[in-house]
Amino acid sequence: MKKFFLFLMSILLISCNGQENKVSKKKNLKMENKNLEYATFGGGCFWCVEACFDMLKGVESVTSGYSGGHKENPTYEEVCTGETGHAEVVQIAFDPSVISFSQLLESFWFLHDPTQLNRQGEDIGTQYRSVIFYHSEKQKEEAQISMENSEKSGKWNGKYVTQIVPFEKFWGAEKYHQNYFEINPNQPYCSAVVGPKVAKFKKHFGELGLLK
């Protein structure tokens, strides 16, 4: 489904570039004087995942990009073919004194269906796979325990297919992908797919008091 809207991106580049400095400054201001840790997750389209994680307290920045593939500096168009091996991911810089990696994992399980192999809804392909790229052995252990607990909870009906693999490289996506939903809430894919997920996430985690 997401591929259907690729042709709109060239039209949106002008408006996105107009927001570029604003977005960059916002992220830089957030990250000053912080002892941060990093988490890298893939759970379908990164526009949705980025928008939701960026709402959580203790999350200092969320960057959309690509991990897990074999090609250096992949482009969005190359990743969309499914031939580079990359997954669409977000890399999260977070303050562990405010939010834990385990809490980020709870958000991750809520955000997507981890029982779907190489897809989320109508977005189909290995680039949309469910994956956790762990940055340490501690993250690996926490991810494994969290997945087991989430699977046992019955939230999602079926066996989880989420990959838990070591982090190697992260390639930031093109600038027009960053803060995409915030800048383009009325873009057709955002209205139809991202917006409802963001609203559901905001309601659930807002009631838990975990939003900024």
Side-chain angles (χ1 to χ4, degrees), residues 69-87:
H70 53 77
K71 188 181 187 301
E72 301 284 302
N73 295 304
T75 66
Y76 180 67
E77 288 73 17
E78 289 171 334
V79 172
C80 280
T81 67
E83 295 178 359
T84 69
H86 293 87

PDB file of all heavy atoms in Angstrom, residues 69-87:
ATOM      1  N   GLY A  69      20.714  -4.823   6.264  1.00  0.00           N
ATOM      2  CA  GLY A  69      20.935  -5.201   4.873  1.00  0.00           C
ATOM      3  C   GLY A  69      22.401  -5.314   4.513  1.00  0.00           C
ATOM      4  O   GLY A  69      23.277  -5.154   5.354  1.00  0.00           O
ATOM      5  N   HIS A  70      22.655  -5.569   3.242  1.00  0.00           N
ATOM      6  CA  HIS A  70      24.021  -5.802   2.790  1.00  0.00           C
ATOM      7  C   HIS A  70      24.567  -4.671   1.926  1.00  0.00           C
ATOM      8  O   HIS A  70      25.736  -4.689   1.551  1.00  0.00           O
ATOM      9  CB  HIS A  70      24.085  -7.109   1.991  1.00  0.00           C
ATOM     10  CG  HIS A  70      23.095  -7.184   0.860  1.00  0.00           C
ATOM     11  ND1 HIS A  70      23.282  -6.529  -0.332  1.00  0.00           N
ATOM     12  CD2 HIS A  70      21.911  -7.826   0.769  1.00  0.00           C
ATOM     13  CE1 HIS A  70      22.250  -6.774  -1.131  1.00  0.00           C
ATOM     14  NE2 HIS A  70      21.403  -7.563  -0.479  1.00  0.00           N
ATOM     15  N   LYS A  71      23.754  -3.667   1.603  1.00  0.00           N
ATOM     16  CA  LYS A  71      24.207  -2.585   0.737  1.00  0.00           C
ATOM     17  C   LYS A  71      24.551  -1.342   1.544  1.00  0.00           C
ATOM     18  O   LYS A  71      23.810  -0.960   2.452  1.00  0.00           O
ATOM     19  CB  LYS A  71      23.134  -2.234  -0.305  1.00  0.00           C
ATOM     20  CG  LYS A  71      23.618  -1.249  -1.358  1.00  0.00           C
ATOM     21  CD  LYS A  71      22.520  -0.927  -2.353  1.00  0.00           C
ATOM     22  CE  LYS A  71      23.081  -0.069  -3.486  1.00  0.00           C
ATOM     23  NZ  LYS A  71      23.674   1.201  -3.009  1.00  0.00           N
ATOM     24  N   GLU A  72      25.667  -0.719   1.215  1.00  0.00           N
ATOM     25  CA  GLU A  72      26.068   0.522   1.877  1.00  0.00           C
ATOM     26  C   GLU A  72      25.203   1.671   1.360  1.00  0.00           C
ATOM     27  O   GLU A  72      24.878   1.740   0.169  1.00  0.00           O
ATOM     28  CB  GLU A  72      27.545   0.819   1.588  1.00  0.00           C
ATOM     29  CG  GLU A  72      28.506  -0.273   2.040  1.00  0.00           C
ATOM     30  CD  GLU A  72      28.733  -0.257   3.539  1.00  0.00           C
ATOM     31  OE1 GLU A  72      29.169   0.777   4.066  1.00  0.00           O
ATOM     32  OE2 GLU A  72      28.462  -1.286   4.185  1.00  0.00           O
ATOM     33  N   ASN A  73      24.842   2.574   2.269  1.00  0.00           N
ATOM     34  CA  ASN A  73      24.095   3.787   1.899  1.00  0.00           C
ATOM     35  C   ASN A  73      22.895   3.503   0.990  1.00  0.00           C
ATOM     36  O   ASN A  73      22.776   4.068  -0.099  1.00  0.00           O
ATOM     37  CB  ASN A  73      25.032   4.787   1.205  1.00  0.00           C
ATOM     38  CG  ASN A  73      26.107   5.297   2.123  1.00  0.00           C
ATOM     39  OD1 ASN A  73      25.830   5.844   3.187  1.00  0.00           O
ATOM     40  ND2 ASN A  73      27.357   5.119   1.726  1.00  0.00           N
ATOM     41  N   PRO A  74      21.991   2.658   1.409  1.00  0.00           N
ATOM     42  CA  PRO A  74      20.843   2.342   0.551  1.00  0.00           C
ATOM     43  C   PRO A  74      19.899   3.524   0.426  1.00  0.00           C
ATOM     44  O   PRO A  74      19.780   4.347   1.338  1.00  0.00           O
ATOM     45  CB  PRO A  74      20.167   1.189   1.294  1.00  0.00           C
ATOM     46  CG  PRO A  74      20.472   1.476   2.738  1.00  0.00           C
ATOM     47  CD  PRO A  74      21.878   2.001   2.729  1.00  0.00           C
ATOM     48  N   THR A  75      19.223   3.610  -0.696  1.00  0.00           N
ATOM     49  CA  THR A  75      18.186   4.616  -0.881  1.00  0.00           C
ATOM     50  C   THR A  75      16.828   3.996  -0.561  1.00  0.00           C
ATOM     51  O   THR A  75      16.679   2.762  -0.517  1.00  0.00           O
ATOM     52  CB  THR A  75      18.152   5.124  -2.325  1.00  0.00           C
ATOM     53  OG1 THR A  75      17.749   4.045  -3.195  1.00  0.00           O
ATOM     54  CG2 THR A  75      19.526   5.650  -2.754  1.00  0.00           C
ATOM     55  N   TYR A  76      15.845   4.835  -0.371  1.00  0.00           N
ATOM     56  CA  TYR A  76      14.497   4.354  -0.085  1.00  0.00           C
ATOM     57  C   TYR A  76      13.977   3.476  -1.222  1.00  0.00           C
ATOM     58  O   TYR A  76      13.389   2.420  -0.993  1.00  0.00           O
ATOM     59  CB  TYR A  76      13.565   5.542   0.136  1.00  0.00           C
ATOM     60  CG  TYR A  76      12.136   5.152   0.435  1.00  0.00           C
ATOM     61  CD1 TYR A  76      11.805   4.505   1.614  1.00  0.00           C
ATOM     62  CD2 TYR A  76      11.110   5.446  -0.472  1.00  0.00           C
ATOM     63  CE1 TYR A  76      10.499   4.150   1.901  1.00  0.00           C
ATOM     64  CE2 TYR A  76       9.798   5.092  -0.191  1.00  0.00           C
ATOM     65  CZ  TYR A  76       9.497   4.450   0.988  1.00  0.00           C
ATOM     66  OH  TYR A  76       8.201   4.102   1.261  1.00  0.00           O
ATOM     67  N   GLU A  77      14.210   3.921  -2.449  1.00  0.00           N
ATOM     68  CA  GLU A  77      13.736   3.171  -3.602  1.00  0.00           C
ATOM     69  C   GLU A  77      14.384   1.786  -3.649  1.00  0.00           C
ATOM     70  O   GLU A  77      13.729   0.797  -3.986  1.00  0.00           O
ATOM     71  CB  GLU A  77      14.026   3.941  -4.893  1.00  0.00           C
ATOM     72  CG  GLU A  77      13.151   5.171  -5.107  1.00  0.00           C
ATOM     73  CD  GLU A  77      13.521   6.333  -4.192  1.00  0.00           C
ATOM     74  OE1 GLU A  77      14.649   6.306  -3.630  1.00  0.00           O
ATOM     75  OE2 GLU A  77      12.689   7.248  -4.034  1.00  0.00           O
ATOM     76  N   GLU A  78      15.674   1.695  -3.298  1.00  0.00           N
ATOM     77  CA  GLU A  78      16.359   0.402  -3.287  1.00  0.00           C
ATOM     78  C   GLU A  78      15.817  -0.500  -2.188  1.00  0.00           C
ATOM     79  O   GLU A  78      15.611  -1.707  -2.401  1.00  0.00           O
ATOM     80  CB  GLU A  78      17.863   0.617  -3.098  1.00  0.00           C
ATOM     81  CG  GLU A  78      18.555   1.231  -4.313  1.00  0.00           C
ATOM     82  CD  GLU A  78      19.984   1.636  -4.028  1.00  0.00           C
ATOM     83  OE1 GLU A  78      20.317   1.919  -2.853  1.00  0.00           O
ATOM     84  OE2 GLU A  78      20.774   1.692  -4.986  1.00  0.00           O
ATOM     85  N   VAL A  79      15.587   0.057  -1.021  1.00  0.00           N
ATOM     86  CA  VAL A  79      15.056  -0.736   0.090  1.00  0.00           C
ATOM     87  C   VAL A  79      13.664  -1.260  -0.244  1.00  0.00           C
ATOM     88  O   VAL A  79      13.309  -2.399   0.096  1.00  0.00           O
ATOM     89  CB  VAL A  79      15.040   0.101   1.385  1.00  0.00           C
ATOM     90  CG1 VAL A  79      14.312  -0.650   2.496  1.00  0.00           C
ATOM     91  CG2 VAL A  79      16.463   0.439   1.830  1.00  0.00           C
ATOM     92  N   CYS A  80      12.877  -0.455  -0.947  1.00  0.00           N
ATOM     93  CA  CYS A  80      11.510  -0.854  -1.301  1.00  0.00           C
ATOM     94  C   CYS A  80      11.470  -2.058  -2.234  1.00  0.00           C
ATOM     95  O   CYS A  80      10.447  -2.754  -2.303  1.00  0.00           O
ATOM     96  CB  CYS A  80      10.770   0.316  -1.947  1.00  0.00           C
ATOM     97  SG  CYS A  80      10.121   1.512  -0.774  1.00  0.00           S
ATOM     98  N   THR A  81      12.543  -2.334  -2.952  1.00  0.00           N
ATOM     99  CA  THR A  81      12.563  -3.514  -3.820  1.00  0.00           C
ATOM    100  C   THR A  81      12.656  -4.799  -3.009  1.00  0.00           C
ATOM    101  O   THR A  81      12.362  -5.885  -3.508  1.00  0.00           O
ATOM    102  CB  THR A  81      13.767  -3.475  -4.784  1.00  0.00           C
ATOM    103  OG1 THR A  81      14.987  -3.607  -4.042  1.00  0.00           O
ATOM    104  CG2 THR A  81      13.783  -2.180  -5.583  1.00  0.00           C
ATOM    105  N   GLY A  82      13.120  -4.696  -1.757  1.00  0.00           N
ATOM    106  CA  GLY A  82      13.313  -5.867  -0.922  1.00  0.00           C
ATOM    107  C   GLY A  82      14.603  -6.605  -1.225  1.00  0.00           C
ATOM    108  O   GLY A  82      14.891  -7.641  -0.611  1.00  0.00           O
ATOM    109  N   GLU A  83      15.411  -6.070  -2.144  1.00  0.00           N
ATOM    110  CA  GLU A  83      16.610  -6.781  -2.580  1.00  0.00           C
ATOM    111  C   GLU A  83      17.867  -6.401  -1.789  1.00  0.00           C
ATOM    112  O   GLU A  83      18.890  -7.078  -1.910  1.00  0.00           O
ATOM    113  CB  GLU A  83      16.842  -6.521  -4.069  1.00  0.00           C
ATOM    114  CG  GLU A  83      15.736  -7.088  -4.953  1.00  0.00           C
ATOM    115  CD  GLU A  83      15.933  -6.782  -6.418  1.00  0.00           C
ATOM    116  OE1 GLU A  83      16.941  -6.107  -6.751  1.00  0.00           O
ATOM    117  OE2 GLU A  83      15.096  -7.205  -7.238  1.00  0.00           O
ATOM    118  N   THR A  84      17.816  -5.360  -0.990  1.00  0.00           N
ATOM    119  CA  THR A  84      19.009  -4.949  -0.232  1.00  0.00           C
ATOM    120  C   THR A  84      19.100  -5.633   1.120  1.00  0.00           C
ATOM    121  O   THR A  84      20.134  -5.583   1.781  1.00  0.00           O
ATOM    122  CB  THR A  84      19.015  -3.423  -0.001  1.00  0.00           C
ATOM    123  OG1 THR A  84      17.968  -3.082   0.923  1.00  0.00           O
ATOM    124  CG2 THR A  84      18.833  -2.664  -1.302  1.00  0.00           C
ATOM    125  N   GLY A  85      18.009  -6.251   1.555  1.00  0.00           N
ATOM    126  CA  GLY A  85      17.994  -6.935   2.845  1.00  0.00           C
ATOM    127  C   GLY A  85      17.700  -6.046   4.035  1.00  0.00           C
ATOM    128  O   GLY A  85      17.605  -6.526   5.167  1.00  0.00           O
ATOM    129  N   HIS A  86      17.546  -4.745   3.804  1.00  0.00           N
ATOM    130  CA  HIS A  86      17.306  -3.828   4.913  1.00  0.00           C
ATOM    131  C   HIS A  86      15.854  -3.874   5.387  1.00  0.00           C
ATOM    132  O   HIS A  86      14.947  -4.192   4.622  1.00  0.00           O
ATOM    133  CB  HIS A  86      17.630  -2.386   4.510  1.00  0.00           C
ATOM    134  CG  HIS A  86      19.075  -2.136   4.247  1.00  0.00           C
ATOM    135  ND1 HIS A  86      19.648  -2.338   3.016  1.00  0.00           N
ATOM    136  CD2 HIS A  86      20.072  -1.720   5.066  1.00  0.00           C
ATOM    137  CE1 HIS A  86      20.930  -2.040   3.074  1.00  0.00           C
ATOM    138  NE2 HIS A  86      21.219  -1.669   4.302  1.00  0.00           N
ATOM    139  N   ALA A  87      15.672  -3.520   6.634  1.00  0.00           N
ATOM    140  CA  ALA A  87      14.343  -3.286   7.181  1.00  0.00           C
ATOM    141  C   ALA A  87      14.182  -1.782   7.410  1.00  0.00           C
ATOM    142  O   ALA A  87      15.159  -1.085   7.703  1.00  0.00           O
ATOM    143  CB  ALA A  87      14.169  -4.015   8.509  1.00  0.00           C
TER     144      ALA A  87
END
